[in-house]
Amino acid sequence: MADTYLTLVEAAKLEQTPLRKGVIEVFARTSPVLERLPMFGIQGNAYTYNQEQTLPGIAFRSVNESYDASVGVVNPVTETLSILGGISKVDRALVKTQGSLNDLRAIHDGMKAKAGSLKFTKNFFKGDSSGNPKEFDGLEIRLTGNQVIDMGNTSGGDTLTLPKVDELIDAVQGGPDVLFMNKTLRRKVNALVRAAGSAIETVNDAFGRQINAYAGVPIGVIEDDNEGNLILGFTEENPGGGAAVGTSIYAVRFGFEWLSGLQNGSLDVIDLGLNGIFYETLIEWLVGLAIWHPKAAARLRGIKNA
């Protein structure tokens, strides 16, 4: 597949069809996740891979000595693709009364693409295939054990501290590529950095936009989903119980050996032409998620808005 191992940003640069190129760029520009997520192409609707768990033994030896036999441990994981998409529709009467067909369709196609990008972003964190088998599981469900760090055990949540953010970063082997959080926590991190007498770091994203960073790790701000609801809002259960007013920060390392997306083919953008009274464009993606390494991502939970 031409775009195997590519992010959407990279795939858009290679795309020759203006319609598809524009939609792919909207998907990537709208989501800090899809801006960075590399896509791995597969055949069929499911993919089985081995997730590294324990490395095999290794040692130095003396002359004429043999090695002890040892094998590593891998866990087989099967991921099933989900079908994400929709049909963008423009009434032919609007074309006759409001001008250019291409301009109007570009507006509506862009809106549909933005909705799809935000829907994927929500699913990346909050997806639950047990509640909705059409979805793939998100990081909130996938991350367990040592990859979930509690901010504390106070009823109603605990206040964010930089040492806990440092602990979150250290939980990702080799260090994360990005920290995902809501705007409130981004401001809190900046305030804590200033209070510590340090300068606030900034970096450029893939589109040249300036964003904040902490400890050299870019901060990806996660905002609303396609329905206008905050994706990482203060609505989560806390480790210490009490009111469900906590939220989380996620640290993620992307890559084929770490965390990537799965796709069959690529993001389809098909001009269906005039269908009855509507000009239609199909936008559809057979997509999923794979965590190749158990320490590719981590979650800091139980953070209250304080």
Side-chain angles (χ1 to χ4, degrees), residues 16 34 36 98 110 125 131 148 180 184 238 254 260 277 284:
Q16 301 299 312
L34 288 174
R36 298 170 172 86
Q98 296 185 18
F125 296 104
V148 179
F180 292 118
T184 301
N238 294 298
F254 291 114
S260 77
I277 63 171
E284 189 170 74

Side-chain angles (χ1 to χ4, degrees), residues 80-285:
T80 302
L81 297 185
S82 298
I83 306 171
L84 172 68
I87 297 176
S88 171
K89 304 170 71 171
V90 181
D91 193 310
R92 63 187 300 271
L94 294 178
V95 176
K96 295 182 68 174
T97 58
Q98 296 185 18
S100 168
L101 167 63
N102 291 334
D103 289 346
L104 280 173
R105 292 188 71 178
I107 291 172
H108 286 271
D109 291 350
M111 291 172 63
K112 183 68 73 171
K114 184 177 180 180
S117 179
L118 295 175
K119 182 72 170 178
F120 179 95
T121 303
K122 180 177 182 179
N123 207 91
F124 180 82
F125 296 104
K126 300 288 186 176
D128 182 358
S129 62
S130 66
N132 183 354
K134 299 176 184 178
E135 299 179 350
F136 57 85
D137 288 331
L139 294 187
E140 185 173 298
I141 287 178
R142 291 171 181 263
L143 297 178
T144 59
N146 293 333
Q147 300 313 110
V148 179
I149 300 167
D150 295 340
M151 188 66 241
N153 57 8
T154 304
S155 176
D158 291 85
T159 302
L160 181 68
T161 65
L162 294 184
K164 276 293 183 179
V165 180
D166 293 337
E167 185 179 344
L168 172 68
I169 291 173
D170 288 345
V172 177
Q173 188 162 312
D177 295 315
V178 61
L179 297 171
F180 292 118
M181 65 187 75
N182 64 33
K183 282 184 174 179
T184 301
L185 292 189
R186 190 267 311 271
R187 293 196 302 268
K188 180 64 174 175
V189 168
N190 287 343
L192 291 171
V193 168
R194 286 193 296 265
S198 300
I200 295 174
E201 301 174 51
T202 57
V203 296
N204 290 332
D205 68 8
F207 297 97
R209 300 171 296 194
Q210 199 169 70
I211 61 174
N212 290 128
Y214 171 72
V217 184
I219 294 174
V221 175
I222 304 300
E223 301 186 61
D224 296 345
D225 64 13
N226 56 302
E227 296 179 345
N229 301 311
L230 195 60
I231 295 172
L232 296 181
F234 292 93
T235 57
E236 299 175 2
E237 299 287 342
N238 294 298
V245 292
T247 190
S248 299
I249 298 176
Y250 291 86
V252 180
R253 183 176 182 182
F254 291 114
F256 174 61
E257 295 181 349
W258 302 98
L259 187 151
S260 77
L262 299 174
Q263 62 180 0
N264 183 319
S266 54
L267 178 56
D268 288 320
V269 185
I270 303 172
D271 185 350
L272 301 179
L274 182 62
N275 185 5
I277 63 171
F278 294 103
Y279 290 100
E280 297 182 345
T281 303
L282 171 65
I283 299 174
E284 189 170 74
W285 202 9

Side-chain angles (χ1 to χ4, degrees), residues 49-56 71-77 292:
Y49 61 95
N50 290 321
Q51 185 185 78
E52 176 187 306
Q53 189 65 36
T54 305
L55 294 175
V71 295
V73 177
V74 294
N75 292 327
V77 179
W292 307 92

